[in-house]
Amino acid sequence: MNLKQQLKEAIEAAIKKADIVEEIPEVKVEVPKDKNNGDFSTNAAMTLTKLARKNPRDIAQAIIDNIDKKAASVKEISIAGPGFINFKMETAELANVIYTVLDKKENYGRTAQESAEKVLIEFVSANPTGDLHIGHARNASVGATLANIMDFAGYDVTREYYINDAGNQINNLAKSIEARYFEALGEELNMPEDGYNGKDIKVIGEKLASEHPEYKDLEEAERISKFRDLGVEYEMRKLKGDLEEFRIKFDNWFSETSLYESGEIDEAMTKMKENGYIFEADDATWLRTTDFKDDKDRVLVKGDGTLTYLMPDIAYHYDKVERGFDKLINLFGADHHGYINRLKASLGALGENPDKLEIQIMQLVRLLENGEEVKMSKRTGKAVTLRDLIDMIGVDAARYFMIMRSTDTHFDFDLDLARSESSDNPVYYAQYAHARICSILRQAKEQGFEVDLQNPVDIIENEQALELLKKVLEFPNIVKGAAESRATQRIPNYIHDLAASFHKFYNAEKVLGENADKTRAYILMIEAVRQTLENALRLIDVSAPEKM
């Protein structure tokens, strides 16, 4: 158990012992912004005021009178302001977090849950009709990081990509390939009105014309079917390659076509009919989504018998539910905001709790270079793609920057800052902290000092060192909070704060000093910092270099 959790439990025990309230609400223990207020503080007395119908300072005093200071490793307690309780901890106990980190190593910060909630995170899910763009890069970064964080926090996480390989867009893809195929055979280009004019389509058409000129003699329906499959296969292979280079991994690649083949679309429709939410009107089949806070009912089957986009999406979420997931998390682009209520309503129509589905909307990213917006790739003269971004600044910077801000805010991505080798660049700043620690540890080894867990650490008293240890101590709770609130930006924020605390300590205190005992203790401490920093960087799939 870490010191923060230990203190939290001691406060809860004190509230119970003082008989302040029957049911104790969650007690929050925070690190004060002003270090003069102590190592930790709690607002528990103020949150209990209404329940206990007492003055918060009186409640605070009752907590202080009943807390077991020894069990909580508390040195001093004081009341501040309207009822904040501030704690100064025994420094020897604070330093013990070093042993915890070095014992758990890559698992420091990981939580194990007795009954892990099964979570499906669906992200990216771009149509296989072209290159991934900057919006997809943000979606991919956030989705992968959220999955990492929730997995580390003890959830049973599955990462999934929904392949839109059916419907009009894929038909247009097939017809576009067909047009380029016949053009390559010497016929006039007959591109459909909503066709795709990308370079990929031309390449596929020319390749097919060269290798399979006999396809021209097939029945049109058979030829289109073949081109559809080949086109999706080509685009998905390229897309998977780009995502792999961006360090994005999926557990499942779920095909929309499989919903038609398995009969799940019909099953979902039958389920909603049985539950009484399907009705016929104006030669169409409708879903009564207004029963679940949607602004209007939605068409599922048009008058000509074709399905709207919503119906296969409902069947897909029906499949998710049938697979036994407790929580469904979707990451959508900014243009999908209006889709939220109808999709949540469809879960209600299937007999599930609509709140089982969480949808995060990715707001837009604007690339800036030399203070001006970048809209076109210098290489191709077209929209900037994920691959362009990797070529421009590398994977580490791209992944780090894409999750620095909350997903519900627009993000100005400064390419010049991402390239810079300065403390202003947050990813460089964090990686430099890790590399600097590795350098110190190499020097220590050359001088005969090893990372030895038998060495005592209770002699650490330097103010900056203790602040650094408090930051290390926070990591498990940062991960837990980021997972619960789905706030991926908290991890890079923490990484920056941890790196800043280390740099501050390094500038104030010599690690390899004349006092051998203190040097041994500091070596253990910075190895604990290095391990924590590496663990945090791993959550966002950013490397922790040993040299820079």
Side-chain angles (χ1 to χ4, degrees):
M1 186 190 302
N2 66 45
L3 204 59
K4 196 171 182 180
Q5 183 64 26
Q6 188 175 298
L7 178 57
K8 179 183 173 182
E9 291 186 8
I11 295 167
E12 289 171 346
I15 294 168
K16 188 175 182 180
K17 186 178 177 183
D19 198 22
I20 296 169
V21 290
E22 287 186 13
E23 286 192 24
I24 303 170
E26 185 184 2
V27 171
K28 291 187 177 178
V29 176
E30 307 289 347
V31 176
K33 290 181 180 177
D34 185 351
K35 60 189 176 188
N36 293 321
N37 290 332
D39 298 313
F40 298 107
S41 70
T42 183
N43 65 347
M46 290 180 286
T47 61
L48 292 168
T49 300
K50 283 187 179 179
L51 291 171
R53 296 182 181 179
K54 291 180 181 177
N55 182 289
R57 287 185 69 92
D58 292 339
I59 296 172
Q61 189 59 55
I63 292 171
I64 291 172
D65 292 342
N66 286 278
I67 198 165
D68 187 336
K69 290 170 69 175
K70 186 176 181 181
S73 304
V74 172
K75 186 177 181 181
E76 295 176 18
I77 312 177
S78 61
I79 303 173
F84 287 102
I85 309 175
N86 294 327
F87 302 87
K88 285 191 176 179
M89 312 304 287
E90 295 288 354
T91 55
E93 289 300 322
L94 184 59
N96 278 337
V97 69
I98 294 169
Y99 296 128
T100 302
V101 177
L102 299 184
D103 175 55
K104 294 187 175 180
K105 295 183 179 177
E106 68 273 8
N107 288 315
Y108 178 63
R110 181 179 285 281
T111 303
Q113 296 185 19
E114 286 184 16
S115 180
E117 189 176 26
K118 284 189 70 180
V119 179
L120 179 69
I121 304 178
E122 182 217 330
F123 58 108
V124 186
S125 296
N127 292 330
T129 54
D131 290 319
L132 296 171
H133 55 61
I134 296 302
H136 294 133
R138 188 179 198 188
N139 190 300
S141 299
V142 172
T145 301
L146 180 60
N148 292 344
I149 293 168
M150 293 188 74
D151 173 75
F152 212 60
Y155 295 82
D156 182 358
V157 178
T158 297
R159 302 154 176 86
E160 188 156 283
Y161 188 113
Y162 180 56
I163 306 170
N164 294 275
D165 55 3
N168 286 335
Q169 288 174 312
I170 300 303
N171 283 334
N172 285 335
L173 173 69
K175 289 177 181 177
S176 301
I177 292 170
E178 183 186 49
R180 290 299 189 184
Y181 173 81
F182 280 114
E183 181 190 33
L185 291 175
E187 296 189 20
E188 185 180 346
L189 178 64
N190 186 25
M191 184 65 69
E193 186 178 343
D194 296 324
Y196 296 99
N197 288 288
K199 182 182 176 183
D200 286 354
I201 308 304
K202 191 170 184 180
V203 169
I204 298 171
E206 289 173 350
K207 189 171 186 291
L208 287 170
S210 170
E211 296 176 1
H212 298 284
E214 72 277 7
Y215 286 172
K216 69 179 185 299
D217 299 321
L218 294 175
E219 290 289 331
E220 183 182 5
E222 185 182 353
R223 186 170 57 245
I224 288 293
S225 175
K226 193 174 287 290
F227 288 174
R228 182 191 296 114
D229 292 343
L230 289 167
V232 169
E233 182 186 341
Y234 176 90
E235 291 293 341
M236 285 305 301
R237 186 165 57 247
K238 183 172 61 115
L239 187 150
K240 285 180 179 182
D242 288 350
L243 287 171
E244 187 176 344
E245 187 172 345
F246 203 46
R247 300 176 193 151
I248 307 295
K249 297 181 179 67
F250 288 95
D251 301 302
N252 289 330
W253 299 82
F254 191 101
S255 163
E256 179 184 350
T257 299
S258 71
L259 295 169
Y260 293 85
E261 294 171 347
S262 66
E264 282 186 293
I265 289 177
D266 293 335
E267 287 178 31
M269 181 70 83
T270 300
K271 185 99 171 173
M272 293 186 292
K273 277 181 182 175
E274 290 173 352
N275 291 338
Y277 295 108
I278 299 293
F279 67 97
E280 305 291 329
D282 302 324
D283 293 325
T285 302
W286 297 69
L287 177 63
R288 192 177 289 106
T289 55
T290 49
D291 286 6
F292 301 95
K293 301 178 183 177
D294 197 11
D295 58 336
K296 62 181 180 180
D297 296 326
R298 305 291 173 175
V299 175
L300 299 181
V301 186
K302 293 181 276 190
D304 62 2
T306 59
L307 302 177
T308 62
Y309 287 119
L310 181 58
M311 190 58 227
D313 285 346
I314 293 173
Y316 175 42
H317 286 78
Y318 172 70
D319 181 275
K320 291 180 181 182
V321 169
E322 289 294 293
R323 281 185 273 159
F325 290 102
D326 303 305
K327 182 66 69 176
L328 313 177
I329 301 175
N330 293 1
L331 273 59
F332 284 168
D335 56 341
H336 280 67
H337 195 277
Y339 212 57
I340 297 175
N341 285 345
R342 70 191 76 168
L343 209 49
K344 288 175 76 74
S346 69
L347 272 186
L350 288 166
E352 299 290 329
N353 183 351
D355 290 335
K356 180 177 279 193
L357 175 63
E358 293 178 15
I359 296 177
Q360 280 196 20
I361 295 294
M362 304 286 108
Q363 291 299 338
L364 300 175
V365 180
R366 192 170 66 133
L367 289 181
L368 300 178
E369 190 170 33
N370 299 320
E372 296 183 358
E373 185 173 0
V374 180
K375 290 186 177 180
M376 297 297 171
S377 165
K378 291 175 183 174
R379 181 172 57 86
T380 64
K382 296 180 180 179
V384 178
T385 66
L386 169 60
R387 182 159 290 283
D388 289 325
L389 185 66
I390 294 172
D391 291 342
M392 286 189 283
I393 60 171
V395 176
D396 280 344
R399 287 293 303 271
Y400 196 108
F401 271 65
M402 281 295 183
I403 62 161
M404 287 196 312
R405 302 285 180 267
S406 173
T407 57
D408 59 7
T409 59
H410 292 272
F411 177 41
D412 284 350
F413 194 125
D414 189 334
L415 293 170
D416 298 312
L417 179 60
R419 291 190 191 103
S420 70
E421 295 184 359
S422 73
S423 58
D424 292 330
N425 178 350
V427 65
Y428 180 85
Y429 187 67
Q431 289 181 320
Y432 186 66
H434 186 272
R436 175 174 267 176
I437 293 171
C438 291
S439 174
I440 297 169
L441 292 172
R442 284 194 298 271
Q443 291 175 48
K445 194 170 185 179
E446 289 169 5
Q447 295 178 28
F449 293 102
E450 297 280 352
V451 175
D452 186 348
L453 290 173
Q454 300 304 312
N455 290 331
V457 293
D458 55 0
I459 62 171
I460 296 176
E461 294 179 340
N462 173 273
E463 187 178 330
Q464 283 78 20
L466 294 175
E467 289 299 311
L468 179 55
L469 287 172
K470 278 192 277 183
K471 193 56 65 178
V472 170
L473 189 64
E474 282 182 40
F475 183 54
N477 287 306
I478 292 290
V479 174
K480 184 173 181 284
E484 289 174 350
S485 59
R486 324 294 194 234
T488 50
Q489 74 276 7
R490 291 189 187 181
I491 302 302
N493 289 346
Y494 172 80
I495 289 169
H496 189 271
D497 290 347
L498 180 61
S501 289
F502 169 73
H503 288 307
K504 191 173 181 182
F505 160 74
Y506 178 83
N507 291 330
E509 183 81 341
K510 196 170 183 181
V511 176
L512 305 177
E514 295 177 2
N515 185 322
D517 288 338
K518 187 181 282 189
T519 293
R520 292 187 186 96
Y522 278 161
I523 287 168
L524 284 172
M525 183 184 77
I526 65 169
E527 170 58 17
V529 173
R530 187 208 64 74
Q531 183 69 67
T532 306
L533 190 54
E534 181 188 286
N535 291 1
L537 286 166
R538 194 186 311 115
L539 289 179
I540 60 175
D541 294 310
V542 170
S543 66
E546 295 185 5
K547 293 180 180 179
M548 286 180 73

